[in-house]
Amino acid sequence: LAFCRARVVRVPKGPLIRVVGTEVVIPCSVSDYDGPSEQNFDWEFSRETDFMRIVSTWDSTFTSEEYQNRVGHGDIKLRRSSNDAVELVIRNIQPTDQGIYKCSTPSTDATVQGNYDAEVQVKVISDGLSVSGSKARSSMSLKLSEGDSIKLRCSAITTSPEHTHLHVTWQIKSGSTWRDILSLTHEGKFEPGPGYEERYRNGDIRLDTGANDTYRLSVSQASSVDGGAYRCLVSEWVRGADSSWQKIQEKSVEIASVSIQRTDVVISTSNVSVTERDSLDLTCNITTDRSGIFQAEVMWYFSASPDDTLSDAQVLLSMDHDSVVSDSTLISLSHVDRNSYRLLVRDVDVEDSGYYFCQAAVWVPLHNGSWHKVVERTSAPVSVVVTTLEPDYEVFLNASKTPKFSDDPTELNCMITNAQDTEANIRFTVSWYYRKRLRSDDVVTEELLATMDADWTLLLGDRSRERTQNGEIIFSKKAADTFSLRIQWTSESDRGDYFCVISAWSRHRNNSWVKSKDVTSASVSIFWATQDYTLTVEAVKLKPFFVAGHTFEMTCKVSSKNIKTPRYSVLITAEKPLTDQSNPNGTTRIISLNQDSVVRLEDWTDQTRVDGVVLEKVQENEFRYRMYQTQISDAGLYRCVVTAWSPGGGGMWREAVNGLSNPIQIDFQMSGPVFNVSVHSDNPTIYQGELADLLCIVTTEGMALEPDDMSFDVSWFAVRSFALDREPVLLASLNRRGIVTQSRRNGSSDLSLERISPLEFRLRVHGCEDHDFGNHYCVVTPWVRSATGVWQREPDIKAKPIFLSVKMDVLNAFKYPLLIGIGLATVIGLLSCLIGYCSSRWCCKKEVQETRRERRRLMSMEMD
């Protein structure tokens, strides 16, 4: 791989054609050089003989005597554009400057390679371009109205000896800058200026060529932005040696100064305030300086917002340029004079409050008799406020019935007094509110009980909805000026302040009702003194000493204060020791009796003793609980949970207060044996498909029992994790009657559970799979027969878990696939050998006939 690099000096391809008197810029650049990044340049000039030195970037004495004056005055200078490029600038070029220009770069390379100078020819031609307006060189002044057309013309011609093209651009000056309107390029293309693209596509702006090298600009639908000074800018272009276009000169001439008289639309009235039922009078004035024939098209809009885009505005009335008015009953539009149009809205309503707009369009006749719209304007919005005639009235609230005790009725009357200016178009409705009373200074917001619409439809609040639907609260209108609120059975939660709000509604033209005024009454306090409810419950154990198998009996005596005709509901609970596996939460709901004396079993789950618990009402305030054939597992603390109920409204009962009795303890003296449980396995690590044996061994300590006097419920559980952080899964259970129950399994392995001795129980997992791993343990419930022949249940005992690991037998897993593969490979190999032998023996046998070989001598190399 070779890499070559040499200095290259570049100038534009010649000849460069320039017009006399213009400025010439010749660029020169250097690349692929060594040394410092900033390079120096020397420029020389030759007409036909030797080169004369013009200017240098590094040697101030480089300039020849002939050019010292022009270089000193700045007519010829060097302008550096980068470290490796400069531009030779010649102002006011003359025919004597025509010739060859050479750009040289002093060497900074280690070795001399490439070119160190470049030449370009400059050709100077005479100025043959002339640009003029329609009236010689003086610009004219035009005063037009908005919507008129602008037509301007300029003339441009060139007598250049070279083949040049003209580029014509019409420009407008608004302020201090000139902006392009439309151009006819030197390539014959039309290019609209920025902001004029859409008007050019619509045909409102055109540039036409005419005879005598004239270029005419036409602007239709002139607006205020079209006012300003207009000029015609013409540039002359020539195609260079590299086929690129180069601008050689540019001339311009101002054609006209145009002023546009704006057409304004104004509503003569400013912000208006009108009383309801009066008339609204607005006038739209069109300001224009047109003296000719024109007609106006007027349209009135109404909007709720002052947005002049009229996106959500409503058309009220319109008049076209033929003076045809759209029909309306309460709104009229009339033509007052040549430029004024009046809008009259009769019998205004509150809904007429908003913003009003007047939109006007000016139409002028054309030569063919048709009309043409030249301008359209929208006025600034006028705010109109319609004030209502509010009725004058007062509101008074009194309590005709006040409660002295709970469940007494309450009745409030909200009355309208001193009503004035209440004509037939006024309607009254009521809203009821409640405010809770607090002893502190906290601010409590009011709660809506009910309200009425203008059509007297009752809307209920969240606080009173259910009670109103049940008939406990009644809202009514007793008279035209009286509204009533009645609470059939007042509760303590109803104590507080009540007030009402009377709303006045006015009917509008479209028969709709709009709220015009609210008057709030003073509040009325509903309150009565109460004492706190008290409830005392005492539990008594009737038999102080008893043993397992006997009947446990206790009574609950209830006493209450400040509760009117109470009734009681009773719930019996038991707090078992935390070691009891059947109830890990500690508290069990056993049986209950409600205020209507209906008994219900709660969490009593012993199916063998469904009728073993009884709860009955002895007296109005005394209840008795019995538990027959008590078991050792029934040990714990027993309580009575009592709820006092007082009669509420509508035959319903209302909860008043709760009470809890003292605990009654059932405790058995354990004189029998103590049971222990353990899990054992001879081989806790097995392979897939093998049999896993797990033994649950029960041992006893203390008093010895006969095997027939004890029995066991055994349950096996598994936790499918190493750290015992998952829920246990029941595998199988064996009750004391010998019935085995298995849980549903998803795998192919099977379980068996059996009793192999009076104190040993074996769990077998047949055909173990990988999902059979985990911690396995058993839970044993001992049953002991007492001397009276009654079976007593002992507390559950949980064994310490043992981890069963299931591994995969790699040899047995691959033994049969390996033997089958070897056998198939052997059979296929023998079959291939047999097929090959038969093919070579019978199918591919050919007779070969020997031909006589000719004996020839070898040819010598030279003859060959």
Side-chain angles (χ1 to χ4, degrees):
L1 180 64
F3 178 78
C4 296
R5 179 176 177 178
R7 176 185 291 259
V8 178
V9 178
R10 295 186 180 90
V11 293
K13 289 184 178 181
L16 301 180
I17 301 174
R18 295 295 182 264
V19 179
V20 63
T22 61
E23 183 179 87
V24 178
V25 178
I26 307 174
C28 177
S29 64
V30 61
S31 61
D32 299 332
Y33 57 88
D34 295 333
S37 60
E38 184 176 282
Q39 293 290 297
N40 290 306
F41 296 86
D42 297 335
W43 281 91
E44 297 176 280
F45 170 71
S46 174
R47 293 188 180 90
E48 292 179 356
T49 57
D50 297 335
F51 280 92
M52 294 177 290
R53 293 174 295 178
I54 304 176
V55 67
S56 173
T57 59
W58 62 285
D59 187 3
S60 59
T61 61
F62 179 79
T63 306
S64 299
E65 183 179 356
E66 183 178 352
Y67 288 97
Q68 289 180 357
N69 189 25
R70 297 177 67 182
V71 172
H73 288 83
D75 293 337
I76 299 177
K77 62 180 179 178
L78 282 181
R79 185 167 55 201
R80 182 179 289 275
S81 56
S82 64
N83 287 338
D84 55 0
V86 296
E87 293 176 343
L88 176 63
V89 181
I90 304 175
R91 297 179 182 175
N92 193 16
I93 193 170
Q94 297 300 319
T96 56
D97 295 324
Q98 179 172 294
I100 304 298
Y101 288 82
K102 181 171 66 174
C103 176
S104 305
T105 59
S107 175
T108 58
D109 304 328
T111 59
V112 178
Q113 291 182 352
N115 68 311
Y116 289 82
D117 57 56
E119 298 178 355
V120 62
Q121 181 185 2
V122 176
K123 186 177 181 180
V124 181
I125 62 176
S126 60
D127 183 6
L129 177 63
S130 62
V131 181
S132 61
S134 58
K135 293 183 178 180
R137 296 185 178 179
S138 60
S139 62
M140 58 182 177
S141 179
L142 299 177
K143 292 184 179 180
L144 303 175
S145 298
E146 196 171 13
D148 289 346
S149 297
I150 302 174
K151 293 184 178 180
L152 303 175
R153 183 177 61 183
C154 78
S155 175
I157 188 171
T158 180
T159 58
S160 174
E162 298 293 331
H163 183 66
T164 59
H165 289 202
L166 297 183
H167 183 122
V168 180
T169 302
W170 280 94
Q171 294 181 321
I172 182 173
K173 184 179 182 181
S174 54
S176 60
T177 59
W178 290 94
R179 293 183 294 112
D180 292 348
I181 300 175
L182 186 59
S183 301
L184 176 61
T185 67
H186 52 278
E187 295 179 327
K189 299 179 181 179
F190 289 98
E191 292 183 357
Y196 290 89
E197 295 86 351
E198 185 175 356
R199 297 179 67 182
Y200 171 74
R201 288 192 296 268
N202 296 335
D204 293 337
I205 296 178
R206 301 193 317 274
L207 197 161
D208 302 320
T209 59
N212 299 325
D213 299 313
T214 57
Y215 299 87
R216 185 172 60 252
L217 174 67
S218 300
V219 180
S220 303
Q221 299 288 329
S223 61
S224 57
V225 297
D226 295 324
Y230 286 76
R231 77 174 181 180
C232 180
L233 178 67
V234 181
S235 57
E236 191 172 7
W237 294 70
V238 66
R239 190 184 292 274
D242 56 354
S243 298
S244 64
W245 287 98
Q246 302 174 7
K247 183 168 67 173
I248 59 176
Q249 71 168 326
E250 185 178 78
K251 292 183 179 181
S252 64
V253 60
E254 290 196 19
I255 303 301
S257 178
V258 179
S259 61
I260 305 297
Q261 177 66 32
R262 177 182 172 88
T263 300
D264 290 328
V265 177
V266 180
I267 300 179
S268 59
T269 307
S270 58
N271 296 340
V272 180
S273 179
V274 185
T275 306
E276 192 177 12
R277 309 298 180 189
D278 288 348
S279 296
L280 173 64
D281 191 351
L282 300 175
T283 302
C284 179
N285 296 322
I286 303 174
T287 303
T288 180
D289 61 345
R290 292 182 179 274
S291 58
I293 299 175
F294 71 92
Q295 291 289 345
E297 177 183 4
V298 178
M299 186 173 295
W300 282 90
Y301 289 90
F302 170 78
S303 176
S305 64
D307 185 9
D308 57 359
T309 59
L310 305 179
S311 57
D312 57 347
Q314 173 189 354
V315 179
L316 296 178
L317 215 58
S318 62
M319 175 187 292
D320 61 12
H321 60 273
D322 294 328
S323 297
V324 178
V325 182
S326 57
D327 187 20
S328 179
T329 304
L330 299 175
I331 307 176
S332 62
L333 178 60
S334 58
H335 192 179
V336 180
D337 55 30
R338 177 179 172 87
N339 296 332
S340 299
Y341 297 84
R342 178 188 179 192
L343 174 70
L344 181 63
V345 182
R346 293 178 291 272
D347 194 15
V348 294
D349 206 341
V350 178
E351 296 179 350
D352 296 325
S353 297
Y355 296 90
Y356 288 76
F357 300 84
C358 175
Q359 186 181 78
V362 176
W363 295 72
V364 296
L366 300 179
H367 299 291
N368 56 3
S370 62
W371 289 84
H372 173 63
K373 183 167 67 173
V374 294
V375 66
E376 185 177 73
R377 284 286 182 273
T378 302
S379 70
V382 171
S383 175
V384 175
V385 178
V386 179
T387 58
T388 59
L389 294 173
E390 294 184 354
D392 187 14
Y393 59 95
E394 296 177 357
V395 178
F396 175 72
L397 177 65
N398 72 324
S400 58
K401 291 183 179 180
T402 56
K404 299 185 181 300
F405 301 99
S406 180
D407 299 326
D408 287 349
T410 300
E411 185 170 353
L412 304 175
N413 295 321
C414 185
M415 295 178 290
I416 304 172
T417 61
N418 300 329
Q420 298 178 3
D421 298 331
T422 56
E423 53 187 19
N425 292 321
I426 300 297
R427 177 179 291 179
F428 294 101
T429 61
V430 68
S431 299
W432 291 96
Y433 290 89
Y434 164 81
R435 185 187 298 115
K436 186 177 181 181
R437 296 185 64 182
L438 296 179
R439 296 178 181 177
S440 62
D441 296 334
D442 296 340
V443 179
V444 180
T445 58
E446 58 269 7
E447 298 181 60
L448 176 66
L449 299 178
T451 185
M452 287 184 180
D453 280 343
D455 55 356
W456 292 311
T457 301
L458 185 66
L459 302 177
L460 299 175
D462 295 336
R463 179 179 178 86
S464 63
R465 180 176 290 107
E466 184 177 355
R467 297 177 66 186
T468 304
Q469 294 172 353
N470 295 333
E472 298 180 28
I473 300 179
I474 300 174
F475 300 94
S476 61
K477 183 178 181 181
K478 291 185 175 181
D481 57 352
T482 305
F483 299 89
S484 173
L485 164 63
R486 180 180 176 86
I487 304 176
Q488 299 284 74
W489 302 279
T490 309
S491 63
E492 293 182 8
S493 60
D494 295 326
R495 294 186 299 180
D497 295 333
Y498 292 79
F499 64 93
C500 63
V501 177
I502 298 295
S503 302
W505 298 75
S506 302
R507 184 165 57 185
H508 287 191
R509 293 191 304 261
N510 56 359
N511 292 326
S512 64
W513 293 89
V514 177
K515 185 186 295 186
S516 59
K517 189 177 182 180
D518 285 334
V519 177
T520 304
S521 70
S523 61
V524 172
S525 178
I526 301 298
F527 186 79
W528 65 92
T530 60
Q531 295 181 353
D532 294 335
Y533 297 143
T534 58
L535 182 67
T536 304
V537 183
E538 181 184 4
V540 179
K541 186 177 180 181
L542 298 182
K543 294 180 180 181
F545 303 101
F546 70 97
V547 295
H550 288 186
T551 301
F552 168 73
E553 186 174 356
M554 75 174 186
T555 60
C556 298
K557 295 183 178 181
V558 185
S559 61
S560 62
K561 293 181 180 180
N562 305 324
I563 303 177
K564 182 180 178 181
T565 60
R567 285 190 182 182
Y568 307 103
S569 61
V570 181
L571 170 66
I572 304 299
T573 63
E575 298 179 11
K576 299 297 186 66
L578 295 178
T579 56
D580 188 0
Q581 298 291 331
S582 62
N583 184 23
N585 295 328
T587 302
T588 304
R589 298 159 54 93
I590 299 177
I591 192 171
S592 63
L593 183 143
N594 66 5
Q595 66 270 19
D596 295 325
S597 300
V598 178
V599 179
R600 175 184 174 184
L601 285 176
E602 298 292 339
D603 298 333
W604 183 262
T605 58
D606 193 348
Q607 299 297 326
T608 61
R609 293 191 297 161
V610 175
D611 299 329
V613 290
V614 176
L615 179 60
E616 57 186 351
K617 184 176 182 181
V618 180
Q619 296 180 9
E620 191 64 33
N621 61 342
E622 184 177 354
F623 302 87
R624 180 167 55 203
Y625 170 69
R626 288 193 181 99
M627 183 168 54
Y628 302 100
Q629 296 182 357
T630 56
Q631 305 287 338
I632 296 178
S633 60
D634 295 329
L637 297 177
Y638 288 76
R639 299 176 187 268
C640 298
V641 180
V642 180
T643 302
W645 300 79
S646 63
M652 305 296 292
W653 289 96
R654 180 170 54 86
E655 181 179 342
V657 67
N658 295 317
L660 183 66
S661 73
N662 56 297
I664 300 296
Q665 184 175 11
I666 298 180
D667 190 12
F668 299 97
Q669 298 296 328
M670 301 296 295
S671 60
V674 176
F675 295 93
N676 297 314
V677 181
S678 62
V679 177
H680 174 72
S681 176
D682 293 335
N683 188 14
T685 302
I686 59 175
Y687 292 95
Q688 290 185 0
E690 292 183 353
L691 175 66
D693 281 344
L694 301 175
L695 294 178
C696 184
I697 303 173
V698 182
T699 59
T700 61
E701 297 179 4
M703 185 181 67
L705 294 176
E706 294 296 331
D708 294 339
D709 292 337
M710 56 183 176
S711 183
F712 303 96
D713 291 338
V714 181
S715 300
W716 280 92
F717 295 89
V719 179
R720 308 299 186 190
S721 68
F722 296 94
L724 297 174
D725 55 352
R726 294 186 181 179
E727 291 292 330
V729 179
L730 176 64
L731 301 178
S733 63
L734 174 67
N735 65 8
R736 59 193 177 100
R737 295 180 178 85
I739 300 175
V740 178
T741 304
Q742 291 189 14
S743 62
R744 187 174 182 181
R745 298 176 59 80
N746 296 326
S748 60
S749 60
D750 199 3
L751 296 174
S752 64
L753 178 59
E754 57 185 342
R755 179 177 180 178
I756 60 177
S757 70
L759 298 177
E760 292 184 354
F761 301 87
R762 180 170 60 191
L763 175 69
R764 284 185 170 182
V765 183
H766 304 272
C768 287
E769 296 180 356
D770 54 354
H771 59 78
D772 290 321
F773 86 102
N775 290 280
H776 292 68
Y777 64 91
C778 62
V779 177
V780 177
T781 304
W783 291 79
V784 179
R785 184 162 53 187
S786 64
T788 60
V790 178
W791 287 94
Q792 298 291 331
R793 178 177 176 177
E794 300 287 335
D796 295 343
I797 306 172
K798 176 181 176 182
K800 184 178 180 181
I802 185 174
F803 187 80
L804 180 64
S805 177
V806 181
K807 297 183 178 180
M808 184 178 69
D809 191 351
V810 179
L811 180 60
N812 291 331
F814 290 97
K815 178 172 65 177
Y816 292 105
L818 186 60
L819 292 176
I820 293 173
I822 294 173
L824 290 177
T826 303
V827 172
I828 293 173
L830 293 176
L831 183 60
S832 300
C833 293
L834 180 60
I835 293 174
Y837 175 77
C838 294
S839 299
S840 63
R841 184 70 178 173
W842 290 286
C843 298
C844 301
K845 187 176 181 182
K846 294 184 181 180
E847 294 183 359
V848 180
Q849 184 176 1
E850 295 183 359
T851 58
R852 182 180 178 184
R853 297 180 179 176
E854 297 182 359
R855 296 177 179 267
R856 294 183 180 179
R857 294 183 179 179
L858 294 175
M859 186 178 297
S860 64
M861 294 292 291
E862 295 177 355
M863 294 180 66
D864 187 24

